[in-house]
Amino acid sequence: MGERVIINALFACAVLSIAVTVGIVAVLLFDTVEFFRESSLVDFLTGMVWAPGQGGGEGGQYGVWPLINGTLMIGLGSIVVGLPLGVLTAIYLSEYANPRVRGVLKPTLEILAGIPTVIVGYFALQFITPSLLRPIFGDDRVFVFNAAAGSIAVGLMILPIIASISEDAMRSVPASLREAAFGLGSTKRQVSLRVVVPAALSGIAASVILAFSRAVGETMAVTIAAGNSPKMTLDFFTSIQTLTASIAQTVSGEAAAGTVRYNALFALGLTLFVITLTMNLISARIVRRFRQVYS
Amino acid sequence: MTERMRRRGWLLGLTLALALVAAACGGADDAGGSSSGGSGLSGKIVVDGSSTVAPISEAITEEFRKEQPNVDVTVGTSGTGGGFTKFCNGETDISDASRAIKDEEKQACEAKGIKYQEFRVGLDGLAVVTSAKNQFVDTLTFKQLAEIFKDGGATTWNQVDPKFPNEKIAIFAPDTESGTYDFFNEKVLGDPADGGMKPRSDYTASSDDNTLVQGIEGQANSWGYFGFAYYQNNKQGLKDIKVAEKGTTGISPNTETITSGEYPLSRPLFIYVKEDSLKKPEVGQYVKFYLEQTPQLIADIGYVAAPPDDYAQGLSKLQPFLATS
């Protein structure tokens, strides 16, 4: 009897998480449909200008591409920063570090993952831009709010994700593989880079895609550090705006519920949801397809 | 399902009814309390009009409520024009306005037999600024301002003036919900319905003036604008740009040029009060309070106080109405 109650309670918890997900998607869809009733879907999907309320009032242009452009810049930029650092950290932790160093490094990485994103954002604004980017590339070249600082900040946030998942993947490479390579006369570096990393590739790839989803969904750091200037550009030293930052800006503004501007939030939210969902599906597929089973 | 909802509706109705009864009883108690107190005023004041002036009216109302809790003041934001339409229709007591009343509005009021008094309560000005590090910009004409802020406008400084260097313009300005944004567009770009230009969208927009100041200070190639009061409080690190409406002689924003109206990006703010309403003690006291308190409150709201004489004159204009009450 008692067992039954517990099982039912656990089942209810599982159902709740599904219900919440379905509920969120339903809300997104409902208000998105409302948005497209007043605003053209074609313009949204092909427009190169995001200008809600342009000129004041209810008008404006709702083309999503500048925001997707900004989001992808931050996503790719942060991977460029986070991937090498993360994978190299993972190689060190898994192959080289002695247990004592590992005992210090791993928890430190987890602390990095636990720093509130708003603080990382201010770190980017107050340190990365003025003390790192500007001295190297010039004050006039680097905007106060710029995509590069946002990318580095988000790169730091995803570094622990990449490092920790990749390290798990590398450590689960069986010792027999390493021993065989050593037996053939390989050096430690050769073993690490030519045996362990390729064997752990599916895990590393999954970590990158997971990290990318995280980067795409990151809000606070990019709102603070990357500017709020939706434009089509590939210049990392200029201000951009991501999907998430645009949502945050509108929410903190005075857009009244039910207006086109307000409903546009949900269209952006759905876009974001589609991007991250796609990434997660790809990640699951990669893990399944490239997983090497050693037994 | 529908049965259950109906039952819920019935319950909700009952709750509401009970709440109303309770509120009504409470109201009666309040009224009794104040009449025994003696000096408390009561009544209703309807204020409507400019959304630019509304923050002043709201701040004043909030303070006034502390002194006269039984006077019910509502502040609407129909816009200056919309406000006058209602005012001259006799629907409101006070009309907030970000410009003087127009001739046709005067006639509309006359036609309805509505007499009014005009009080200047302050000035709204916006400062056009760049970073203190900027070496080349000193004055910009209205044409050049439009070139910077219009849709598809200049992206580098030498497109604004060939004498300027070939550097990107980093633009920081209020977001589209801001009255300052509307004012700038109206004044510099013109009314879009009347052949005016559309403002650009690829600039760094923020409703937080601190963000704008931070961005503008930080780079020599910056350009932006915000309320004058904010510039006054953040002069370090910023450089004001002189503005020339006609010709090329620029005027820099300061309290004198704004109060005199010489600075082109400024405008006076008014309240218009119906004379019949002024005779009511609650309205008379409210306007008196308004003129007395605004000089202290107005800078916090982001505007400039009118010269002290304006408020003094306003108070003397008010005197005969207070005496009759």
Side-chain angles (χ1 to χ4, degrees):
Chain A
M1 181 59 195
E3 188 71 10
R4 197 66 181 270
V5 171
I6 290 172
I7 289 174
N8 285 339
L10 292 177
F11 175 72
C13 289
V15 168
L16 183 69
S17 70
I18 294 172
V20 168
T21 312
V22 171
I24 290 174
V25 174
V27 168
L28 274 180
L29 277 175
F30 184 79
D31 282 297
T32 303
V33 167
E34 202 61 30
F35 172 70
F36 287 122
R37 204 167 280 171
E38 291 168 73
S39 196
S40 144
L41 175 67
V42 176
D43 288 351
F44 182 77
L45 292 177
T46 60
M48 296 295 172
V49 180
W50 181 260
Q54 185 178 31
E58 270 292 276
Q61 300 178 69
Y62 295 89
V64 78
W65 279 103
L67 300 177
I68 291 184
N69 181 74
T71 301
L72 292 181
M73 276 172 82
I74 294 288
L76 295 174
S78 62
I79 293 294
V80 166
V81 174
L83 177 64
L85 284 175
V87 171
L88 291 174
T89 309
I91 292 175
Y92 177 72
L93 283 175
S94 150
E95 305 301 313
Y96 290 87
N98 63 42
R100 258 182 54 206
V101 177
R102 250 179 69 86
V104 176
L105 263 181
K106 270 216 100 167
T108 315
L109 262 182
E110 271 146 32
I111 290 174
L112 183 59
I115 295 176
T117 59
V118 61
I119 293 175
V120 181
Y122 273 103
F123 174 72
L125 185 61
Q126 304 291 359
F127 178 77
I128 296 177
T129 298
S131 311
L132 191 71
L133 295 173
R134 290 190 137 189
I136 300 173
F137 298 102
D139 277 13
D140 295 337
R141 180 89 184 77
V142 183
F143 278 41
V144 173
F145 306 102
N146 64 80
S151 299
I152 294 173
V154 178
L156 291 177
M157 284 180 218
I158 61 172
L159 188 152
I161 299 177
I162 296 181
S164 127
I165 298 178
S166 300
E167 196 229 342
D168 283 347
M170 289 177 195
R171 280 169 74 83
S172 61
V173 173
S176 58
L177 249 68
R178 293 190 184 86
E179 282 154 12
F182 282 129
L184 291 170
S186 305
T187 63
K188 186 128 193 179
R189 182 170 61 85
Q190 286 171 324
V191 171
S192 304
L193 294 182
R194 301 206 185 152
V195 177
V196 177
V197 170
L201 208 55
S202 76
I204 297 172
S207 80
V208 169
I209 291 173
L210 204 63
F212 188 81
S213 295
R214 168 83 170 75
V216 161
E218 166 50 33
T219 308
M220 214 52 226
V222 292
T223 305
I224 293 168
N228 280 310
S229 161
K231 58 185 160 208
M232 295 301 291
T233 179
L234 290 173
D235 180 357
F236 271 87
F237 295 132
T238 188
S239 305
I240 51 115
Q241 189 173 43
T242 64
L243 286 162
T244 50
S246 181
I247 294 174
Q249 191 190 22
T250 311
V251 168
S252 63
E254 287 157 19
T259 58
V260 179
R261 243 192 121 158
Y262 180 82
N263 290 335
L265 283 178
F266 295 90
L268 292 184
L270 193 66
T271 311
L272 194 62
F273 178 71
V274 168
I275 292 176
T276 45
L277 184 70
T278 313
M279 286 298 152
N280 290 351
L281 290 178
I282 292 174
S283 149
R285 175 154 296 189
I286 284 182
V287 170
R288 226 178 306 139
R289 182 171 296 180
F290 297 102
R291 164 161 288 162
Q292 307 211 15
V293 183
Y294 304 100
S295 51
Chain B
M1 189 66 198
T2 46
E3 175 58 31
R4 215 167 86 193
M5 272 168 81
R6 217 166 17 174
R7 204 146 39 149
R8 260 221 202 126
W10 183 81
L11 255 176
L12 191 74
L14 184 71
T15 319
L16 266 177
L18 277 172
L20 275 175
V21 171
C25 294
D29 280 354
D30 279 359
S34 75
S35 62
S36 59
S39 70
L41 295 168
S42 64
K44 198 169 156 50
I45 306 175
V46 182
V47 185
D48 204 341
S50 163
S51 61
T52 311
V53 185
I56 309 177
S57 296
E58 280 158 8
I60 292 293
T61 300
E62 207 174 293
E63 294 297 316
F64 187 68
R65 207 169 275 151
K66 288 178 194 160
E67 298 202 352
Q68 300 291 352
N70 292 324
V71 180
D72 179 18
V73 188
T74 57
V75 180
T77 52
S78 305
T80 302
F84 276 130
T85 309
K86 289 186 183 175
F87 183 70
C88 296
N89 222 354
E91 294 169 34
T92 57
D93 300 304
I94 298 175
S95 208
D96 290 340
S98 59
R99 57 167 168 76
I101 188 166
K102 286 181 185 167
D103 284 342
E104 55 266 36
E105 288 160 348
K106 279 183 191 167
Q107 283 157 16
C109 273
E110 247 167 61
K112 288 271 181 178
I114 287 177
K115 289 183 184 160
Y116 54 82
Q117 290 290 334
E118 174 191 280
F119 300 95
R120 193 155 83 139
V121 293
L123 295 143
D124 174 23
L126 68 83
V128 180
V129 292
T130 181
S131 166
K133 291 182 211 162
N134 185 301
Q135 302 290 327
F136 52 87
V137 190
D138 180 60
T139 303
L140 290 173
T141 64
F142 264 40
K143 229 175 153 182
Q144 288 172 321
L145 290 177
E147 189 55 40
I148 295 174
F149 205 62
K150 74 176 184 194
D151 198 19
T155 51
T156 57
W157 276 105
N158 63 352
Q159 292 168 355
V160 178
D161 187 330
K163 278 175 281 181
F164 294 157
N166 181 13
E167 276 178 24
K168 277 191 179 177
I169 310 178
I171 302 174
F172 302 86
D175 69 8
T176 55
E177 286 152 30
S178 152
T180 315
Y181 171 85
D182 290 336
F183 177 36
F184 184 89
N185 292 339
E186 199 179 292
K187 197 86 186 179
V188 174
L189 301 179
D191 183 2
D194 203 30
M197 291 166 272
K198 257 204 303 194
R200 71 192 307 156
S201 59
D202 55 347
Y203 68 98
T204 299
S206 180
S207 54
D208 178 6
D209 289 325
N210 283 308
T211 307
L212 300 179
V213 169
Q214 200 173 17
I216 295 167
E217 274 179 359
Q219 56 202 114
N221 55 355
S222 64
W223 177 90
Y225 64 83
F226 39 72
F228 172 72
Y230 215 80
Y231 161 67
Q232 243 186 342
N233 298 332
N234 292 279
K235 275 189 176 170
Q236 276 181 338
L238 295 174
K239 171 179 163 185
D240 69 285
I241 299 173
K242 291 184 196 135
V243 174
E245 183 165 16
K246 294 184 184 86
T248 52
T249 321
I251 293 158
S252 49
N254 54 48
T255 317
E256 288 87 65
T257 55
I258 288 177
T259 31
S260 70
E262 201 189 341
Y263 182 65
L265 291 172
S266 72
R267 54 181 169 176
L269 306 174
F270 301 98
I271 57 170
Y272 287 79
V273 189
K274 187 160 73 173
E275 286 193 357
D276 285 344
S277 301
L278 264 186
K279 287 173 190 156
K280 294 187 217 161
E282 66 271 18
V283 178
Q285 288 302 324
Y286 177 79
V287 175
K288 182 163 176 270
F289 189 82
Y290 207 117
L291 295 173
E292 284 168 355
Q293 298 296 318
T294 301
Q296 289 101 53
L297 283 172
I298 195 163
D300 287 341
I301 302 164
Y303 303 129
V304 178
D309 278 0
D310 278 33
Y311 299 105
Q313 272 172 23
L315 283 168
S316 59
K317 251 197 277 187
L318 194 63
Q319 212 51 51
F321 296 98
L322 295 176
T324 62
S325 68

